[in-house]
Amino acid sequence: MTKITTELCTTLNIAYPIVQAGMAGGPTTVDLVASVSEAGALGTLGAAYMEPDDIRAAIRLIRQRTAKPFAVNLFAADMTDDASRIAEVNEVLRGIRSELGLGEPAAELHTPDRFEQQMQVLIEENVPVISTAFGILPARFMEEVKRRGIRVTTMVTTVREAVEAERAGSDVIVAQGSDAGGHRGTFDVGVHPNGANIGTFSLVPQIADQVRVPVVAAGGVMDGRGLVAALALGASGVQLGTRFLTAAESGAHPAYKQALLDSTEESTVITRVFSGRPARGISNAFIRRFDESGVEPLPFPTQNSATNEIRKAAAARNQAGYMSLWAGQATRLLTDGDPASRIVMEIMEEAQRLLSRLPVLNQD
Ligand SMILES: Cc1cc2nc3c(=O)[nH]c(=O)nc-3n(C[C@H](O)[C@H](O)[C@H](O)COP(=O)(O)O)c2cc1C
């Protein structure tokens, strides 16, 4: 059987060209990251919302579970708050808050910016791979981590961002198509308020033609078919987020997992109402109510802070209607409760089968 090894495997020192996406907010438990890495792919801790000390503890636990490479993912984003229209937004949130038993919304918000301390931890712990969303690692960090031999991967949504990321020193470019679950990685949401939304099939070959470093396809990849397609498009591997949300080790809330399993290719929308940045998730009551109000969400990260208590209270009450249910467009291909290692092995086995026997009717 064909053994699929690509340049990505060499660059990241992994056996299989599969990356489990860093997913901030809880799904990427130590268990999930370690299981994926131990299986031969690259597990990623979604650490953007984590306190620096918690990141350090998680890294040490991952290392107790596996000696293989793993990544830690952060947001390379401007975290300056703009709460100038907070009163208007609170008008919309007030009703939902009272339904969830929450009191008056805060009239002021301050989002903590932990990026410097988070990066310090990643450097001190000498993690094998650092990945970022929303932008490129700032130059001072890029130089330092590369000097230490840490690999850097940058998620992009356009050819222009990919070229910029390569020029800045990224070792790997993750090409995130608009099919992808979670936040759009688009750098400048001033230019593209709803994200640059180019589908995975269109984006990957155009980026592969313009950069020399390995390209990883993200968005709608769920199985061996997606891996083979991505390789045919010029990618060196794939990054999967949604597929791992219903894995046995996933930390996603049970109501969220159920919503994923109940969803179809028609269920998701791209919305800014949860965080202020465009993100793909399953349409629900929160999105509909905010949209119906006609009120413009605050920019990231302020809208995220403004909706934080609602999302937490909804999770505590098992109310998926008010949670952010990030998901990609290929959720019919989800499996329920498989161990992450099985997901990795099945993708590889299916891809290998397909490569040795592509469904071509006539081949002269
Ligand atoms: C629940 C969820 C959370 C995500 N959080 C992050 C994140 O914190 N950082 C990041 O770089 N990408 C994040 N992503 C996007 C993934 O990196 C990736 O682009 C996406 O999952 C690929 O599409 P798929 O979900 O169809 O596999 C998230 C995706 C999901 C589904």
Side-chain angles (χ1 to χ4, degrees):
M1 198 178 271
T2 338
K3 176 144 179 359
I4 303 170
T5 307
T6 69
E7 196 189 339
L8 181 76
C9 301
T10 318
T11 303
L12 299 181
N13 191 24
I14 52 178
Y16 305 126
I18 299 175
V19 179
Q20 165 254 310
M23 294 183 275
T28 57
T29 59
V30 162
D31 247 15
L32 178 65
V33 178
S35 302
V36 169
S37 286
E38 191 55 24
L42 187 78
T44 309
L45 180 71
Y49 299 136
M50 289 171 72
E51 295 295 339
D53 285 346
D54 295 338
I55 297 177
R56 193 189 305 277
I59 290 169
R60 292 184 178 177
L61 286 171
I62 292 166
R63 281 203 160 117
Q64 283 174 19
R65 296 272 315 274
T66 183
K68 296 188 178 165
F70 61 93
V72 180
N73 177 267
L74 296 177
F75 293 161
D78 180 4
M79 295 297 280
T80 316
D81 274 312
D82 173 3
S84 50
R85 291 187 299 100
I86 184 83
E88 193 188 354
V89 165
N90 278 343
E91 270 312 302
V92 188
L93 300 182
R94 196 167 274 119
I96 298 173
R97 289 179 65 93
S98 81
E99 270 181 47
L100 290 166
L102 294 168
E104 269 296 293
E108 276 180 43
L109 284 173
H110 175 69
T111 309
D113 185 355
R114 311 179 185 95
F115 187 72
E116 299 285 321
Q117 295 102 298
Q118 290 172 325
M119 275 304 299
Q120 221 42 60
V121 169
L122 305 198
I123 290 168
E124 284 165 18
E125 296 295 319
N126 202 30
V127 297
V129 181
I130 295 176
S131 67
T132 60
F134 306 160
I136 304 166
L137 214 53
R140 63 184 190 289
F141 285 128
M142 185 69 89
E143 278 160 30
E144 177 162 11
V145 305
K146 296 209 59 168
R147 211 176 328 115
R148 290 166 183 266
I150 297 173
R151 297 294 189 186
V152 176
T153 97
T154 306
M155 190 163 75
V156 307
T157 59
T158 63
V159 170
R160 197 165 38 81
E161 291 169 354
V163 169
E164 204 186 314
E166 179 180 51
R167 209 172 279 151
S170 308
D171 299 294
V172 172
I173 304 292
V174 178
Q176 188 201 37
S178 56
D179 331 28
H183 281 104
R184 306 293 312 130
T186 302
F187 293 180
D188 190 347
V189 283
V191 177
H192 295 289
N194 287 317
N197 293 318
I198 295 105
T200 309
F201 247 80
S202 298
L203 185 64
V204 170
Q206 296 190 77
I207 289 183
D209 280 352
Q210 300 291 329
V211 301
R212 278 182 298 271
V213 294
V215 174
V216 171
V221 180
M222 303 293 275
D223 54 23
R225 294 173 293 183
L227 172 54
V228 171
L231 296 178
L233 292 171
S236 193
V238 288
Q239 175 161 310
L240 294 78
T242 302
R243 180 71 206 272
F244 286 103
L245 288 171
T246 54
E249 301 90 337
S250 156
H253 190 286
Y256 177 14
K257 287 184 182 169
Q258 197 53 53
L260 287 162
L261 294 167
D262 292 342
S263 69
T264 73
E265 73 285 5
E266 297 179 81
S267 302
T268 67
V269 292
I270 292 179
T271 179
R272 283 181 286 132
V273 302
F274 283 108
S275 72
R277 260 191 168 265
R280 182 178 293 285
I282 297 171
S283 181
N284 64 0
F286 186 86
I287 297 173
R288 284 190 292 274
R289 281 182 67 164
F290 209 100
D291 284 350
E292 279 162 14
S293 75
V295 171
E296 182 71 10
L298 299 168
F300 180 87
T302 319
Q303 181 78 5
N304 197 57
S305 298
T307 65
N308 189 28
E309 286 183 347
I310 288 178
R311 286 177 283 123
K312 283 201 176 126
R317 289 163 176 248
N318 286 317
Q319 261 177 279
Y322 295 140
M323 293 159 60
S324 52
L325 306 171
W326 304 142
Q329 289 184 311
T331 52
R332 280 189 203 262
L333 306 178
L334 281 169
T335 52
D336 186 7
D338 280 350
S341 59
R342 186 182 305 159
I343 294 176
V344 170
M345 292 321 295
E346 282 183 1
I347 294 172
M348 290 313 301
E349 283 166 13
E350 186 183 22
Q352 281 159 354
R353 263 200 317 278
L354 277 175
L355 276 180
S356 61
R357 196 168 48 84
L358 273 175
V360 177
L361 293 180
N362 293 302
Q363 215 171 24
D364 292 326

